[in-house]
């Protein structure tokens, strides 16, 4: 039976636990009091695993709270971040389920806010926004629902990009090509770009011939 042979305070305000003279893991002071942990206590294997699981869960949960205090995450992104910090996957999944119950992670809400920013601040096209949301682990149903809630006029978006970044560059062919390539990188189709360029009396098809 594992025996708690030593308790040692850590610099992080936790208590390091040593079982059978070897360091096992650390607990916070709340867990220390909850389990009444004292030197010399003996644990069955089941009791030891229960203590370890509760400790890992609370540590992963507290870490998730801290991460969410800095920025929003999708469920997938937060899962990846916690797994990178070597929390057990089953513990991470339990934490994520609880955070969803509390409304602290909500992929649809995240997708709406993120797509709004990408469309109106970065001027991404809808296809580029879809690509970005998929990259962040948002499911297709949430992506489509989010995009149905945001206003988008791709031609007006292209006009705004041109006026802000490329208006003076349209005077020569090299500048026009740079503008087109920039708009293509934002995800706009060549037909959409050509339509707006016509408004500036620029015929891209003629220049390509």
């Amino acid at each position: 039976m594992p025996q708690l042979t030593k308790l040692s305070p850590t610099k992080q305000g936790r208590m390091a636990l040593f079982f059978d003279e070897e360091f096992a893991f650390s607990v916070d002071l709340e867990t220390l009091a909850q389990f009444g942990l004292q030197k010399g206590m003996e644990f069955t294997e089941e009791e030891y695993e229960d203590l370890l699981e509760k400790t890992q869960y609370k540590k992963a949960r507290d870490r998730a709270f801290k991460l969410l205090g800095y920025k929003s995450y999708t469920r997938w992104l937060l899962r990846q971040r916690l797994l990178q910090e070597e929390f057990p996957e089953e513990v991470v999944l339990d934490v994520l389920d609880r955070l969803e119950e509390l409304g602290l992670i909500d992929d649809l809400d995240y997708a709406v806010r993120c797509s709004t920013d990408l469309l109106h601040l970065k001027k991404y096209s809808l296809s580029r926004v879809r690509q970005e949301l998929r990259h962040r682990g948002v499911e297709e149903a949430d992506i489509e629902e989010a995009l149905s809630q945001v206003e988008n006029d791709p031609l007006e978006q292209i006009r705004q990009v041109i006026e802000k970044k490329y208006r003076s560059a349209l005077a020569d062919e090299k500048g026009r090509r740079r503008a087109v390539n920039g708009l293509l990188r934002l995800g706009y189709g060549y037909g959409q770009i050509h339509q707006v360029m016509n408004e500036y009396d620029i015929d891209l098809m003629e220049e390509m011939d």
Side-chain angles (χ1 to χ4, degrees), residues 7-201:
L7 297 87
S8 178
T10 71
K11 293 180 179 179
Q12 291 75 34
R14 297 172 64 83
M15 189 67 71
L17 305 183
F18 292 76
F19 283 85
D20 301 324
E21 306 300 337
E22 292 186 1
F23 171 73
F25 51 89
S26 66
V27 299
D28 59 24
L29 299 185
E30 180 183 338
T31 302
L32 182 74
Q34 179 184 349
F35 282 83
L37 299 175
Q38 297 179 21
K39 180 179 178 180
M41 291 179 66
E42 291 187 344
F43 292 73
T44 65
E45 291 295 337
E46 185 176 293
E47 290 170 337
Y48 177 85
E49 290 299 325
D50 182 55
L51 173 61
L52 176 59
E53 182 179 340
K54 284 183 169 58
T55 297
Q56 290 174 326
Y57 175 86
K58 192 169 188 305
K59 191 173 183 180
R61 185 198 64 188
D62 291 347
R63 179 57 177 154
F65 282 155
K66 187 172 183 178
L67 290 170
L68 290 169
Y70 291 111
K71 67 175 185 178
S72 298
Y73 285 81
T74 63
R75 179 185 175 100
W76 184 85
L77 285 175
L78 189 56
R79 175 180 176 273
Q80 295 303 109
R81 182 63 184 269
L82 293 174
L83 289 176
Q84 287 173 2
E85 299 189 19
E86 300 186 349
F87 290 108
E89 184 166 13
E90 62 275 13
V91 170
V92 170
L93 295 177
D94 286 344
V95 168
L96 295 175
D97 287 344
R98 181 56 178 156
L99 292 174
E100 283 187 330
E101 290 174 6
L102 295 172
L104 296 176
I105 52 175
D106 181 335
D107 281 7
L108 176 56
D109 178 69
Y110 179 99
V112 171
R113 290 184 289 107
C114 183
S115 59
T116 299
D117 288 345
L118 294 177
L119 284 168
H120 300 309
L121 297 181
K122 292 194 174 184
K123 305 301 180 184
Y124 284 3
S125 70
L126 284 179
S127 63
R128 180 69 188 276
V129 171
R130 284 191 180 91
Q131 180 183 5
E132 185 64 28
L133 291 175
R134 290 183 188 120
H135 181 70
R136 300 183 190 196
V138 181
E139 295 185 356
E140 291 296 325
D142 286 336
I143 291 175
E144 294 308 316
E145 176 61 27
L147 293 181
S148 74
Q149 296 183 30
V150 296
E151 295 182 6
N152 175 251
D153 180 344
L155 300 184
E156 179 59 26
Q157 297 263 101
I158 293 172
R159 294 184 192 102
Q160 291 176 9
V161 173
I162 290 175
E163 290 298 325
K164 182 177 181 180
K165 297 183 65 176
Y166 301 111
R167 186 67 179 89
S168 61
L170 299 183
D172 60 76
E173 183 177 349
K174 183 177 179 181
R176 290 192 288 274
R177 289 187 180 276
R178 183 163 62 86
V180 170
N181 289 334
L183 289 163
L184 289 172
R185 285 193 297 272
L186 291 174
Y188 296 102
Y190 195 84
Q192 293 172 321
I193 299 170
H194 180 256
Q195 184 175 343
V196 175
M197 285 294 190
N198 280 341
E199 298 174 8
Y200 293 87
D201 294 323

